[in-house]
Amino acid sequence: MPDRTCHCYGCGRNQGVDPSELPCFALKGWYILSHLEGPEDIKRYGFCSITCLQRWVNEHAPSVPEIFLSIDEF
C-alpha cells in the first residue's frame, strides 16, 4: 500500500508513492510548482499533466502577463 500520495491540484487525481520507490520515478511526467509566499514559506503544488498545470495557472494568476506564463513541452 502506498505510504505517500501526491495530489494533482488541477484535476484532483492522487498518485500513490510506494515507500520503496523514489518519488522521482513514481511521479515521472508530473509537474511540481514551488510558490514562494514569504521568507522560508514555500508551498508546493503537484500537477499530473501540462493541461492541469496550465488550468491552475490561468485560474490563480490571471494578472501575470502571458509572456511569463508560457508553458511548452519539449
Side-chain angles (χ1 to χ4, degrees):
M1 178 159 185
D3 186 46
R4 301 172 284 183
T5 61
C6 187
H7 175 77
C8 177
Y9 283 82
C11 68
R13 174 182 168 199
N14 288 311
Q15 174 67 43
V17 179
D18 192 279
S20 64
E21 188 175 21
L22 292 172
C24 61
F25 292 123
L27 300 173
K28 184 174 181 170
W30 279 60
Y31 298 85
I32 306 299
L33 174 81
S34 295
H35 179 218
L36 299 171
E37 292 191 340
E40 298 189 28
D41 187 12
I42 301 171
K43 302 292 183 197
R44 289 194 172 77
Y45 301 91
F47 301 93
C48 67
S49 69
I50 193 75
T51 303
C52 286
L53 172 57
Q54 187 66 63
R55 184 182 317 126
W56 186 90
V57 168
N58 291 343
E59 291 173 3
H60 290 86
S63 62
V64 178
E66 189 170 319
I67 192 167
F68 295 111
L69 298 178
S70 174
I71 301 172
D72 297 314
E73 281 190 273
F74 295 95

